[in-house]
Amino acid sequence: MKRKRATMKLVLACALTTAVLSGCSSGGGKGAGEGAEAKGVNATGFPIVQEPVTVNAFAAKFFANADWNKLKLWQEYEKKTNIHINWETVQKDALKEKRNLLMASSGYPDLFYASAFSKSDLFKYGKQGVFLPLNEYIDQYAPNLKALMEKYPVIKKGITMPDGKIYSLPTLYDPEFRSVFFNTPWVKTEWLTKLGLKEPENLDEFAAMLKAFKKGDPNGNGKPDEIAWGGVGTTGLVGYLRGAYGLGNHGNANQYVDTEPGSDKIRFIPADPRYKEMLEYIHKLYKDGLLEQDIASVKSEEIDAKGTAGLLGIVDNVDPAAIYNQKGYAGLPVLKGPHGDQLYTYIGSPLGNIGMFILTDKAKNPAAMVRWMDYFYGEEGIKMFFMGWKDDTYKEESDGTVDYVDAIKNNKDGLSLDQAVSQYLIWPGGYYPGFVKQAYFKGAEGLPTSVANSKKADPHVLKPDQIWPAFNFTSEEQQELTTLANDIETYVTEMRDKFIVGDAPLSQWDDYVATLNKMGLDRYKQIYQAALDRYSKSS
C-alpha cells in the first residue's frame, strides 16, 4: 500500500496478546444492556451468538466496485460468528457528505465501520446518547483490545473522551512495527560513492552533501538536472530537521505543541526561538539552490516524475524502490544539531483514527458486536484480515512467515497487488479499524529496507512512552479551539513557507510572533494545557 509521508506520519500499536486481563473499564455510563450478561452471546469461542442475527452497518471503502455484501472476508466471518452484516458502503471521497446526511436524519445504522468520525463528533453524539459508551462492553467482551490497553496505556488514554467514556474503537499500529511510524528520508548511495562522501552526521555535513549533489553532476550526464532534496512541500524537511533543534519532544500527533524542556508546560513550537533558528538554516539551503525551488508549491506528480527518472538525491517518502522502482537508496542518519540535540521526533502515536467502529443507540446487541470487532485485535483475526486464508490467498512457510499466492502477487489479469487483494479483503487503502502488525502487512513500510532504515534511526527516536496521542477536548474546548486553530495554524504554515523561500525576511520574526499573540495564542495554549493535564492524570 503506497502512502505519502506527509499524509501518514503517524502511526503504531502493539505486540498482541489475547490473555483476558482485568480492570479496563473507565467507569463510563451504560447503554442498553451494558454491564449485564448479554442474552444469547457466547463469552468466548465461535459462534458469537447462538441464533443468527442481522446488523445494519455503514462503511467507507477504497475501491468503488467492491461489493462488501459479496466479499469473501465478510462471508467467511459470518459463518464463524452467526452475525450477518447488511453493508451500505460509500467510496471514501464521498464519505463525509453521506455520513453527515445519515446523522442529520433518523436513518443512521446500528453500526458505523471505517467511517472516520472526528473526536468532536464522537463526544457530541456520545453526550447525546446516539453513540453508545463501550467501556463495560470492552471490559467483558473484548479481551484482545483490553490486553493491548493494559500493555500500552496510551491506547486507552487516546480513545477515552473527557467524560471518561469510550465511544469508538480505533485503528492501531503495533509499536514494535517501528518502520510504520517513521522512516528518515532516503539518500541515493550511488551518488555518495561517486562524490566520495560519507553519510552526514550533522547539519553542516548535510548542507555540504546537498551542495555536492547539486553541483557535482553525480548522475554523470553533464546537465545540472539533479534535485538534491526531493519532497512535496516543506513539511517533511521541517519534520526531519526539527529534532536537531530539540523541537517536537512528544511526537507529531499534536503537531504544533510540545512541552518546555524540563517542565510539563505547553510550548507552541512555531513561536520558539529554536524554530526560528531552524527556519534560518532551511532558508540558507533554499537560497543556495539546494532545495527544489518550487518546494512550497510543487505538485506530487512532478516530484514523482523526477523520482522515477532517478533525479532525486534525497527522497522524502517511503522507499523509492516501492514507489519509483529506484533501488540503491538508504535511510539518512538522524542529524546532530547546533546545541547537541540528536533526536528524530517526526513520529506519530500508535493510534490512527479512533472513530472507526461505533455502535449507535439502534444496536440491538452491542455485546455481540464488540466481540465481533475484538477478533480483529487478536492474532488469528489480524492474520485473516490482512492475509485471508491459507492456500487460498496466502502460503505459509515452515518458519511461519506468510506471503500472498502468485495469483495475487502476479495477477494474470494485470491487477496491482491492492486490486487483486481487494477481491477478497478490504485493507488496501488503509481505512479500517483493527491492528496493523508487521508479520501480515505487505505495504512499503514492511519492506526489509524500511525495517533496516528504522533500526538505523531507532537509537535517536523518541521512546513510545514519550509520544502523545492526539488530545481529546471537551465540546466547549473544541468549539473554541477550532476557530483559534484555523487562524493560527493557517498563518503559521503560510509564514513558514514565506520565511523559507524568502518572501518574508526573518527580520520580521518579532512581528510574526506578535501577530500570533493577537490571534489568541495564549488561549490556544491554555486549551492544550487543559487537555495535557487531563491526559497526564488519566490512568
Side-chain angles (χ1 to χ4, degrees), residues 1 63 66 71-73 384-389 393 404-405 407-409 411 415-429 442:
M1 179 181 65
F63 287 105
L71 201 68
K72 183 168 183 175
L73 172 67
M384 184 177 81
F385 185 84
F386 285 102
M387 300 303 303
W389 305 270
T393 55
Y404 293 115
V405 296
I408 289 178
K409 291 196 300 180
N411 185 266
L415 300 179
S416 68
L417 178 68
D418 282 6
Q419 290 169 331
V421 167
S422 293
Q423 296 180 106
Y424 309 92
L425 307 169
I426 68 164
W427 69 261
K442 301 303 176 182

PDB file of all heavy atoms in Angstrom, residues 1 63 66 71-73 384-389 393 404-405 407-409 411 415-429 442:
ATOM      1  N   MET A   1       0.850  -1.200   0.000  1.00  0.00           N
ATOM      2  CA  MET A   1       0.000   0.000   0.000  1.00  0.00           C
ATOM      3  C   MET A   1       0.873   1.234   0.000  1.00  0.00           C
ATOM      4  O   MET A   1       1.615   1.500   0.931  1.00  0.00           O
ATOM      5  CB  MET A   1      -0.891   0.015   1.239  1.00  0.00           C
ATOM      6  CG  MET A   1      -1.770   1.232   1.308  1.00  0.00           C
ATOM      7  SD  MET A   1      -2.790   1.232   2.788  1.00  0.00           S
ATOM      8  CE  MET A   1      -1.570   1.357   4.074  1.00  0.00           C
ATOM      9  N   PHE A  63     -12.140   0.934  -2.940  1.00  0.00           N
ATOM     10  CA  PHE A  63     -12.445   0.635  -4.336  1.00  0.00           C
ATOM     11  C   PHE A  63     -13.949   0.720  -4.572  1.00  0.00           C
ATOM     12  O   PHE A  63     -14.739   0.026  -3.913  1.00  0.00           O
ATOM     13  CB  PHE A  63     -11.935  -0.754  -4.714  1.00  0.00           C
ATOM     14  CG  PHE A  63     -10.440  -0.823  -4.852  1.00  0.00           C
ATOM     15  CD1 PHE A  63      -9.663  -1.416  -3.870  1.00  0.00           C
ATOM     16  CD2 PHE A  63      -9.805  -0.275  -5.952  1.00  0.00           C
ATOM     17  CE1 PHE A  63      -8.294  -1.479  -3.985  1.00  0.00           C
ATOM     18  CE2 PHE A  63      -8.423  -0.326  -6.081  1.00  0.00           C
ATOM     19  CZ  PHE A  63      -7.662  -0.927  -5.093  1.00  0.00           C
ATOM     20  N   ALA A  66     -16.106  -2.546  -5.277  1.00  0.00           N
ATOM     21  CA  ALA A  66     -16.122  -3.647  -4.308  1.00  0.00           C
ATOM     22  C   ALA A  66     -17.494  -3.751  -3.654  1.00  0.00           C
ATOM     23  O   ALA A  66     -17.994  -2.776  -3.101  1.00  0.00           O
ATOM     24  CB  ALA A  66     -15.041  -3.429  -3.250  1.00  0.00           C
ATOM     25  N   LEU A  71     -18.337  -9.985  -0.459  1.00  0.00           N
ATOM     26  CA  LEU A  71     -16.897 -10.128  -0.257  1.00  0.00           C
ATOM     27  C   LEU A  71     -16.599 -11.345   0.623  1.00  0.00           C
ATOM     28  O   LEU A  71     -17.252 -11.574   1.645  1.00  0.00           O
ATOM     29  CB  LEU A  71     -16.345  -8.858   0.395  1.00  0.00           C
ATOM     30  CG  LEU A  71     -14.855  -8.601   0.253  1.00  0.00           C
ATOM     31  CD1 LEU A  71     -14.492  -8.293  -1.197  1.00  0.00           C
ATOM     32  CD2 LEU A  71     -14.443  -7.431   1.146  1.00  0.00           C
ATOM     33  N   LYS A  72     -15.571 -12.089   0.257  1.00  0.00           N
ATOM     34  CA  LYS A  72     -15.271 -13.327   0.974  1.00  0.00           C
ATOM     35  C   LYS A  72     -14.949 -13.080   2.444  1.00  0.00           C
ATOM     36  O   LYS A  72     -15.334 -13.882   3.305  1.00  0.00           O
ATOM     37  CB  LYS A  72     -14.115 -14.066   0.300  1.00  0.00           C
ATOM     38  CG  LYS A  72     -13.803 -15.396   0.975  1.00  0.00           C
ATOM     39  CD  LYS A  72     -12.869 -16.260   0.174  1.00  0.00           C
ATOM     40  CE  LYS A  72     -12.675 -17.600   0.887  1.00  0.00           C
ATOM     41  NZ  LYS A  72     -11.870 -18.556   0.106  1.00  0.00           N
ATOM     42  N   LEU A  73     -14.249 -11.981   2.766  1.00  0.00           N
ATOM     43  CA  LEU A  73     -13.917 -11.700   4.162  1.00  0.00           C
ATOM     44  C   LEU A  73     -15.161 -11.731   5.031  1.00  0.00           C
ATOM     45  O   LEU A  73     -15.195 -12.400   6.079  1.00  0.00           O
ATOM     46  CB  LEU A  73     -13.239 -10.325   4.269  1.00  0.00           C
ATOM     47  CG  LEU A  73     -13.010  -9.818   5.694  1.00  0.00           C
ATOM     48  CD1 LEU A  73     -11.977 -10.677   6.423  1.00  0.00           C
ATOM     49  CD2 LEU A  73     -12.575  -8.349   5.687  1.00  0.00           C
ATOM     50  N   MET A 384      -6.282 -13.168   9.356  1.00  0.00           N
ATOM     51  CA  MET A 384      -7.330 -13.311   8.360  1.00  0.00           C
ATOM     52  C   MET A 384      -7.620 -11.981   7.673  1.00  0.00           C
ATOM     53  O   MET A 384      -7.811 -11.929   6.444  1.00  0.00           O
ATOM     54  CB  MET A 384      -8.615 -13.839   9.006  1.00  0.00           C
ATOM     55  CG  MET A 384      -9.724 -14.093   7.982  1.00  0.00           C
ATOM     56  SD  MET A 384     -11.230 -14.799   8.686  1.00  0.00           S
ATOM     57  CE  MET A 384     -12.020 -13.324   9.359  1.00  0.00           C
ATOM     58  N   PHE A 385      -7.651 -10.895   8.424  1.00  0.00           N
ATOM     59  CA  PHE A 385      -7.994  -9.588   7.871  1.00  0.00           C
ATOM     60  C   PHE A 385      -6.997  -9.152   6.803  1.00  0.00           C
ATOM     61  O   PHE A 385      -7.385  -8.614   5.758  1.00  0.00           O
ATOM     62  CB  PHE A 385      -8.039  -8.552   8.997  1.00  0.00           C
ATOM     63  CG  PHE A 385      -8.505  -7.198   8.561  1.00  0.00           C
ATOM     64  CD1 PHE A 385      -9.857  -6.910   8.479  1.00  0.00           C
ATOM     65  CD2 PHE A 385      -7.599  -6.205   8.217  1.00  0.00           C
ATOM     66  CE1 PHE A 385     -10.299  -5.659   8.068  1.00  0.00           C
ATOM     67  CE2 PHE A 385      -8.023  -4.953   7.801  1.00  0.00           C
ATOM     68  CZ  PHE A 385      -9.382  -4.673   7.724  1.00  0.00           C
ATOM     69  N   PHE A 386      -5.696  -9.380   7.045  1.00  0.00           N
ATOM     70  CA  PHE A 386      -4.670  -8.912   6.108  1.00  0.00           C
ATOM     71  C   PHE A 386      -4.248  -9.954   5.075  1.00  0.00           C
ATOM     72  O   PHE A 386      -3.848  -9.589   3.973  1.00  0.00           O
ATOM     73  CB  PHE A 386      -3.428  -8.443   6.875  1.00  0.00           C
ATOM     74  CG  PHE A 386      -3.606  -7.111   7.538  1.00  0.00           C
ATOM     75  CD1 PHE A 386      -3.842  -7.022   8.886  1.00  0.00           C
ATOM     76  CD2 PHE A 386      -3.560  -5.941   6.796  1.00  0.00           C
ATOM     77  CE1 PHE A 386      -4.020  -5.797   9.508  1.00  0.00           C
ATOM     78  CE2 PHE A 386      -3.731  -4.706   7.399  1.00  0.00           C
ATOM     79  CZ  PHE A 386      -3.964  -4.641   8.765  1.00  0.00           C
ATOM     80  N   MET A 387      -4.337 -11.242   5.428  1.00  0.00           N
ATOM     81  CA  MET A 387      -3.802 -12.270   4.543  1.00  0.00           C
ATOM     82  C   MET A 387      -4.876 -13.168   3.935  1.00  0.00           C
ATOM     83  O   MET A 387      -4.658 -13.762   2.881  1.00  0.00           O
ATOM     84  CB  MET A 387      -2.793 -13.140   5.298  1.00  0.00           C
ATOM     85  CG  MET A 387      -1.588 -12.391   5.850  1.00  0.00           C
ATOM     86  SD  MET A 387      -0.639 -11.476   4.595  1.00  0.00           S
ATOM     87  CE  MET A 387      -0.198 -12.767   3.443  1.00  0.00           C
ATOM     88  N   GLY A 388      -6.009 -13.302   4.609  1.00  0.00           N
ATOM     89  CA  GLY A 388      -7.062 -14.149   4.074  1.00  0.00           C
ATOM     90  C   GLY A 388      -6.971 -15.573   4.589  1.00  0.00           C
ATOM     91  O   GLY A 388      -6.954 -15.805   5.795  1.00  0.00           O
ATOM     92  N   TRP A 389      -6.818 -16.553   3.672  1.00  0.00           N
ATOM     93  CA  TRP A 389      -6.969 -17.957   4.020  1.00  0.00           C
ATOM     94  C   TRP A 389      -5.818 -18.772   3.416  1.00  0.00           C
ATOM     95  O   TRP A 389      -5.473 -18.624   2.238  1.00  0.00           O
ATOM     96  CB  TRP A 389      -8.325 -18.475   3.521  1.00  0.00           C
ATOM     97  CG  TRP A 389      -9.422 -17.620   4.070  1.00  0.00           C
ATOM     98  CD1 TRP A 389     -10.104 -17.799   5.238  1.00  0.00           C
ATOM     99  CD2 TRP A 389      -9.907 -16.381   3.507  1.00  0.00           C
ATOM    100  NE1 TRP A 389     -10.977 -16.774   5.446  1.00  0.00           N
ATOM    101  CE2 TRP A 389     -10.890 -15.889   4.402  1.00  0.00           C
ATOM    102  CE3 TRP A 389      -9.611 -15.656   2.346  1.00  0.00           C
ATOM    103  CZ2 TRP A 389     -11.571 -14.697   4.161  1.00  0.00           C
ATOM    104  CZ3 TRP A 389     -10.273 -14.464   2.106  1.00  0.00           C
ATOM    105  CH2 TRP A 389     -11.258 -14.003   3.008  1.00  0.00           C
ATOM    106  N   THR A 393      -5.483 -17.585  -0.423  1.00  0.00           N
ATOM    107  CA  THR A 393      -4.932 -16.269  -0.724  1.00  0.00           C
ATOM    108  C   THR A 393      -3.483 -16.106  -0.246  1.00  0.00           C
ATOM    109  O   THR A 393      -2.798 -15.192  -0.681  1.00  0.00           O
ATOM    110  CB  THR A 393      -5.783 -15.167  -0.072  1.00  0.00           C
ATOM    111  OG1 THR A 393      -5.880 -15.424   1.335  1.00  0.00           O
ATOM    112  CG2 THR A 393      -7.174 -15.128  -0.680  1.00  0.00           C
ATOM    113  N   TYR A 404       1.448 -13.650  -0.036  1.00  0.00           N
ATOM    114  CA  TYR A 404       0.318 -13.919  -0.908  1.00  0.00           C
ATOM    115  C   TYR A 404       0.680 -14.954  -1.974  1.00  0.00           C
ATOM    116  O   TYR A 404       1.845 -15.088  -2.368  1.00  0.00           O
ATOM    117  CB  TYR A 404      -0.154 -12.628  -1.576  1.00  0.00           C
ATOM    118  CG  TYR A 404      -0.754 -11.642  -0.606  1.00  0.00           C
ATOM    119  CD1 TYR A 404      -0.165 -10.413  -0.366  1.00  0.00           C
ATOM    120  CD2 TYR A 404      -1.920 -11.951   0.095  1.00  0.00           C
ATOM    121  CE1 TYR A 404      -0.699  -9.521   0.538  1.00  0.00           C
ATOM    122  CE2 TYR A 404      -2.469 -11.066   0.990  1.00  0.00           C
ATOM    123  CZ  TYR A 404      -1.853  -9.857   1.217  1.00  0.00           C
ATOM    124  OH  TYR A 404      -2.392  -8.978   2.122  1.00  0.00           O
ATOM    125  N   VAL A 405      -0.308 -15.664  -2.446  1.00  0.00           N
ATOM    126  CA  VAL A 405      -0.104 -16.636  -3.516  1.00  0.00           C
ATOM    127  C   VAL A 405       0.212 -15.894  -4.813  1.00  0.00           C
ATOM    128  O   VAL A 405      -0.078 -14.701  -4.963  1.00  0.00           O
ATOM    129  CB  VAL A 405      -1.343 -17.539  -3.691  1.00  0.00           C
ATOM    130  CG1 VAL A 405      -1.581 -18.375  -2.441  1.00  0.00           C
ATOM    131  CG2 VAL A 405      -2.577 -16.702  -4.019  1.00  0.00           C
ATOM    132  N   ALA A 407      -1.147 -15.953  -7.639  1.00  0.00           N
ATOM    133  CA  ALA A 407      -2.314 -15.405  -8.351  1.00  0.00           C
ATOM    134  C   ALA A 407      -2.641 -13.989  -7.903  1.00  0.00           C
ATOM    135  O   ALA A 407      -3.250 -13.221  -8.650  1.00  0.00           O
ATOM    136  CB  ALA A 407      -3.521 -16.315  -8.137  1.00  0.00           C
ATOM    137  N   ILE A 408      -2.212 -13.632  -6.688  1.00  0.00           N
ATOM    138  CA  ILE A 408      -2.399 -12.268  -6.201  1.00  0.00           C
ATOM    139  C   ILE A 408      -1.173 -11.418  -6.502  1.00  0.00           C
ATOM    140  O   ILE A 408      -1.293 -10.293  -7.003  1.00  0.00           O
ATOM    141  CB  ILE A 408      -2.697 -12.279  -4.685  1.00  0.00           C
ATOM    142  CG1 ILE A 408      -4.104 -12.837  -4.429  1.00  0.00           C
ATOM    143  CG2 ILE A 408      -2.570 -10.877  -4.086  1.00  0.00           C
ATOM    144  CD1 ILE A 408      -4.490 -12.938  -2.972  1.00  0.00           C
ATOM    145  N   LYS A 409       0.018 -11.951  -6.241  1.00  0.00           N
ATOM    146  CA  LYS A 409       1.244 -11.159  -6.451  1.00  0.00           C
ATOM    147  C   LYS A 409       1.513 -10.909  -7.936  1.00  0.00           C
ATOM    148  O   LYS A 409       2.016  -9.844  -8.303  1.00  0.00           O
ATOM    149  CB  LYS A 409       2.440 -11.873  -5.831  1.00  0.00           C
ATOM    150  CG  LYS A 409       2.427 -11.914  -4.320  1.00  0.00           C
ATOM    151  CD  LYS A 409       3.796 -12.284  -3.758  1.00  0.00           C
ATOM    152  CE  LYS A 409       4.266 -13.640  -4.221  1.00  0.00           C
ATOM    153  NZ  LYS A 409       5.585 -13.982  -3.662  1.00  0.00           N
ATOM    154  N   ASN A 411      -0.803 -11.199 -10.795  1.00  0.00           N
ATOM    155  CA  ASN A 411      -2.157 -11.444 -11.283  1.00  0.00           C
ATOM    156  C   ASN A 411      -2.196 -11.559 -12.805  1.00  0.00           C
ATOM    157  O   ASN A 411      -1.636 -10.719 -13.519  1.00  0.00           O
ATOM    158  CB  ASN A 411      -3.074 -10.311 -10.805  1.00  0.00           C
ATOM    159  CG  ASN A 411      -4.517 -10.553 -11.173  1.00  0.00           C
ATOM    160  OD1 ASN A 411      -4.985 -10.087 -12.196  1.00  0.00           O
ATOM    161  ND2 ASN A 411      -5.215 -11.306 -10.333  1.00  0.00           N
ATOM    162  N   LEU A 415      -3.835  -7.055 -12.626  1.00  0.00           N
ATOM    163  CA  LEU A 415      -4.232  -6.258 -11.478  1.00  0.00           C
ATOM    164  C   LEU A 415      -3.042  -5.977 -10.577  1.00  0.00           C
ATOM    165  O   LEU A 415      -2.150  -6.815 -10.419  1.00  0.00           O
ATOM    166  CB  LEU A 415      -5.309  -6.984 -10.667  1.00  0.00           C
ATOM    167  CG  LEU A 415      -6.625  -7.322 -11.369  1.00  0.00           C
ATOM    168  CD1 LEU A 415      -7.561  -8.053 -10.407  1.00  0.00           C
ATOM    169  CD2 LEU A 415      -7.296  -6.062 -11.915  1.00  0.00           C
ATOM    170  N   SER A 416      -3.026  -4.768  -9.978  1.00  0.00           N
ATOM    171  CA  SER A 416      -1.999  -4.468  -8.984  1.00  0.00           C
ATOM    172  C   SER A 416      -2.244  -5.330  -7.748  1.00  0.00           C
ATOM    173  O   SER A 416      -3.305  -5.954  -7.597  1.00  0.00           O
ATOM    174  CB  SER A 416      -2.053  -2.989  -8.592  1.00  0.00           C
ATOM    175  OG  SER A 416      -3.243  -2.710  -7.873  1.00  0.00           O
ATOM    176  N   LEU A 417      -1.269  -5.353  -6.836  1.00  0.00           N
ATOM    177  CA  LEU A 417      -1.437  -6.121  -5.608  1.00  0.00           C
ATOM    178  C   LEU A 417      -2.680  -5.661  -4.858  1.00  0.00           C
ATOM    179  O   LEU A 417      -3.501  -6.485  -4.416  1.00  0.00           O
ATOM    180  CB  LEU A 417      -0.201  -5.974  -4.715  1.00  0.00           C
ATOM    181  CG  LEU A 417      -0.280  -6.701  -3.366  1.00  0.00           C
ATOM    182  CD1 LEU A 417      -0.279  -8.206  -3.558  1.00  0.00           C
ATOM    183  CD2 LEU A 417       0.873  -6.285  -2.461  1.00  0.00           C
ATOM    184  N   ASP A 418      -2.849  -4.340  -4.714  1.00  0.00           N
ATOM    185  CA  ASP A 418      -4.010  -3.823  -3.993  1.00  0.00           C
ATOM    186  C   ASP A 418      -5.315  -4.257  -4.658  1.00  0.00           C
ATOM    187  O   ASP A 418      -6.276  -4.648  -3.984  1.00  0.00           O
ATOM    188  CB  ASP A 418      -3.957  -2.295  -3.919  1.00  0.00           C
ATOM    189  CG  ASP A 418      -2.994  -1.784  -2.860  1.00  0.00           C
ATOM    190  OD1 ASP A 418      -2.279  -2.611  -2.261  1.00  0.00           O
ATOM    191  OD2 ASP A 418      -2.951  -0.567  -2.641  1.00  0.00           O
ATOM    192  N   GLN A 419      -5.359  -4.183  -5.987  1.00  0.00           N
ATOM    193  CA  GLN A 419      -6.582  -4.557  -6.702  1.00  0.00           C
ATOM    194  C   GLN A 419      -6.880  -6.048  -6.559  1.00  0.00           C
ATOM    195  O   GLN A 419      -8.029  -6.436  -6.356  1.00  0.00           O
ATOM    196  CB  GLN A 419      -6.446  -4.186  -8.180  1.00  0.00           C
ATOM    197  CG  GLN A 419      -6.457  -2.691  -8.434  1.00  0.00           C
ATOM    198  CD  GLN A 419      -6.058  -2.346  -9.861  1.00  0.00           C
ATOM    199  OE1 GLN A 419      -5.295  -3.072 -10.506  1.00  0.00           O
ATOM    200  NE2 GLN A 419      -6.586  -1.235 -10.373  1.00  0.00           N
ATOM    201  N   ALA A 420      -5.841  -6.862  -6.643  1.00  0.00           N
ATOM    202  CA  ALA A 420      -6.028  -8.304  -6.522  1.00  0.00           C
ATOM    203  C   ALA A 420      -6.470  -8.684  -5.115  1.00  0.00           C
ATOM    204  O   ALA A 420      -7.382  -9.503  -4.930  1.00  0.00           O
ATOM    205  CB  ALA A 420      -4.741  -9.034  -6.899  1.00  0.00           C
ATOM    206  N   VAL A 421      -5.824  -8.098  -4.105  1.00  0.00           N
ATOM    207  CA  VAL A 421      -6.192  -8.371  -2.717  1.00  0.00           C
ATOM    208  C   VAL A 421      -7.636  -7.963  -2.447  1.00  0.00           C
ATOM    209  O   VAL A 421      -8.371  -8.641  -1.719  1.00  0.00           O
ATOM    210  CB  VAL A 421      -5.231  -7.642  -1.755  1.00  0.00           C
ATOM    211  CG1 VAL A 421      -5.782  -7.642  -0.333  1.00  0.00           C
ATOM    212  CG2 VAL A 421      -3.856  -8.293  -1.776  1.00  0.00           C
ATOM    213  N   SER A 422      -8.060  -6.854  -3.049  1.00  0.00           N
ATOM    214  CA  SER A 422      -9.383  -6.301  -2.769  1.00  0.00           C
ATOM    215  C   SER A 422     -10.527  -7.135  -3.339  1.00  0.00           C
ATOM    216  O   SER A 422     -11.690  -6.839  -3.086  1.00  0.00           O
ATOM    217  CB  SER A 422      -9.476  -4.867  -3.300  1.00  0.00           C
ATOM    218  OG  SER A 422      -8.621  -4.031  -2.562  1.00  0.00           O
ATOM    219  N   GLN A 423     -10.204  -8.189  -4.075  1.00  0.00           N
ATOM    220  CA  GLN A 423     -11.239  -9.132  -4.480  1.00  0.00           C
ATOM    221  C   GLN A 423     -11.681 -10.012  -3.307  1.00  0.00           C
ATOM    222  O   GLN A 423     -12.732 -10.657  -3.374  1.00  0.00           O
ATOM    223  CB  GLN A 423     -10.726 -10.017  -5.619  1.00  0.00           C
ATOM    224  CG  GLN A 423     -10.422  -9.244  -6.894  1.00  0.00           C
ATOM    225  CD  GLN A 423      -9.914 -10.163  -7.986  1.00  0.00           C
ATOM    226  OE1 GLN A 423     -10.630 -10.467  -8.941  1.00  0.00           O
ATOM    227  NE2 GLN A 423      -8.692 -10.639  -7.824  1.00  0.00           N
ATOM    228  N   TYR A 424     -10.860 -10.012  -2.241  1.00  0.00           N
ATOM    229  CA  TYR A 424     -11.135 -10.857  -1.081  1.00  0.00           C
ATOM    230  C   TYR A 424     -11.215 -10.077   0.237  1.00  0.00           C
ATOM    231  O   TYR A 424     -11.984 -10.429   1.127  1.00  0.00           O
ATOM    232  CB  TYR A 424     -10.031 -11.906  -0.917  1.00  0.00           C
ATOM    233  CG  TYR A 424      -9.718 -12.685  -2.168  1.00  0.00           C
ATOM    234  CD1 TYR A 424      -8.717 -12.257  -3.048  1.00  0.00           C
ATOM    235  CD2 TYR A 424     -10.419 -13.848  -2.470  1.00  0.00           C
ATOM    236  CE1 TYR A 424      -8.424 -12.986  -4.200  1.00  0.00           C
ATOM    237  CE2 TYR A 424     -10.132 -14.579  -3.614  1.00  0.00           C
ATOM    238  CZ  TYR A 424      -9.133 -14.141  -4.483  1.00  0.00           C
ATOM    239  OH  TYR A 424      -8.850 -14.856  -5.613  1.00  0.00           O
ATOM    240  N   LEU A 425     -10.389  -9.032   0.361  1.00  0.00           N
ATOM    241  CA  LEU A 425     -10.167  -8.336   1.630  1.00  0.00           C
ATOM    242  C   LEU A 425     -10.368  -6.838   1.454  1.00  0.00           C
ATOM    243  O   LEU A 425     -10.454  -6.349   0.319  1.00  0.00           O
ATOM    244  CB  LEU A 425      -8.749  -8.625   2.142  1.00  0.00           C
ATOM    245  CG  LEU A 425      -8.358 -10.102   2.259  1.00  0.00           C
ATOM    246  CD1 LEU A 425      -6.868 -10.252   2.518  1.00  0.00           C
ATOM    247  CD2 LEU A 425      -9.169 -10.770   3.366  1.00  0.00           C
ATOM    248  N   ILE A 426     -10.364  -6.087   2.572  1.00  0.00           N
ATOM    249  CA  ILE A 426     -10.678  -4.655   2.477  1.00  0.00           C
ATOM    250  C   ILE A 426      -9.540  -3.742   2.888  1.00  0.00           C
ATOM    251  O   ILE A 426      -9.689  -2.526   2.828  1.00  0.00           O
ATOM    252  CB  ILE A 426     -11.911  -4.304   3.345  1.00  0.00           C
ATOM    253  CG1 ILE A 426     -11.591  -4.438   4.840  1.00  0.00           C
ATOM    254  CG2 ILE A 426     -13.113  -5.145   2.960  1.00  0.00           C
ATOM    255  CD1 ILE A 426     -12.584  -3.757   5.737  1.00  0.00           C
ATOM    256  N   TRP A 427      -8.373  -4.277   3.294  1.00  0.00           N
ATOM    257  CA  TRP A 427      -7.356  -3.396   3.873  1.00  0.00           C
ATOM    258  C   TRP A 427      -6.695  -2.429   2.892  1.00  0.00           C
ATOM    259  O   TRP A 427      -6.252  -1.353   3.309  1.00  0.00           O
ATOM    260  CB  TRP A 427      -6.282  -4.208   4.612  1.00  0.00           C
ATOM    261  CG  TRP A 427      -5.374  -5.045   3.758  1.00  0.00           C
ATOM    262  CD1 TRP A 427      -5.475  -6.380   3.519  1.00  0.00           C
ATOM    263  CD2 TRP A 427      -4.216  -4.603   3.034  1.00  0.00           C
ATOM    264  NE1 TRP A 427      -4.462  -6.803   2.694  1.00  0.00           N
ATOM    265  CE2 TRP A 427      -3.668  -5.729   2.380  1.00  0.00           C
ATOM    266  CE3 TRP A 427      -3.582  -3.378   2.874  1.00  0.00           C
ATOM    267  CZ2 TRP A 427      -2.534  -5.661   1.578  1.00  0.00           C
ATOM    268  CZ3 TRP A 427      -2.447  -3.303   2.076  1.00  0.00           C
ATOM    269  CH2 TRP A 427      -1.930  -4.432   1.450  1.00  0.00           C
ATOM    270  N   PRO A 428      -6.547  -2.739   1.588  1.00  0.00           N
ATOM    271  CA  PRO A 428      -5.918  -1.748   0.707  1.00  0.00           C
ATOM    272  C   PRO A 428      -6.647  -0.403   0.767  1.00  0.00           C
ATOM    273  O   PRO A 428      -7.874  -0.334   0.753  1.00  0.00           O
ATOM    274  CB  PRO A 428      -6.025  -2.392  -0.677  1.00  0.00           C
ATOM    275  CG  PRO A 428      -5.993  -3.863  -0.399  1.00  0.00           C
ATOM    276  CD  PRO A 428      -6.821  -4.007   0.858  1.00  0.00           C
ATOM    277  N   GLY A 429      -5.875   0.649   0.824  1.00  0.00           N
ATOM    278  CA  GLY A 429      -6.427   1.992   1.005  1.00  0.00           C
ATOM    279  C   GLY A 429      -6.277   2.493   2.416  1.00  0.00           C
ATOM    280  O   GLY A 429      -6.389   3.682   2.682  1.00  0.00           O
ATOM    281  N   LYS A 442       1.891  -6.008   4.118  1.00  0.00           N
ATOM    282  CA  LYS A 442       2.751  -6.156   2.946  1.00  0.00           C
ATOM    283  C   LYS A 442       2.935  -4.850   2.173  1.00  0.00           C
ATOM    284  O   LYS A 442       3.312  -4.859   1.009  1.00  0.00           O
ATOM    285  CB  LYS A 442       2.165  -7.232   2.013  1.00  0.00           C
ATOM    286  CG  LYS A 442       2.018  -8.594   2.673  1.00  0.00           C
ATOM    287  CD  LYS A 442       3.339  -9.107   3.219  1.00  0.00           C
ATOM    288  CE  LYS A 442       3.178 -10.417   3.968  1.00  0.00           C
ATOM    289  NZ  LYS A 442       4.461 -10.901   4.539  1.00  0.00           N
TER     290      LYS A 442
END
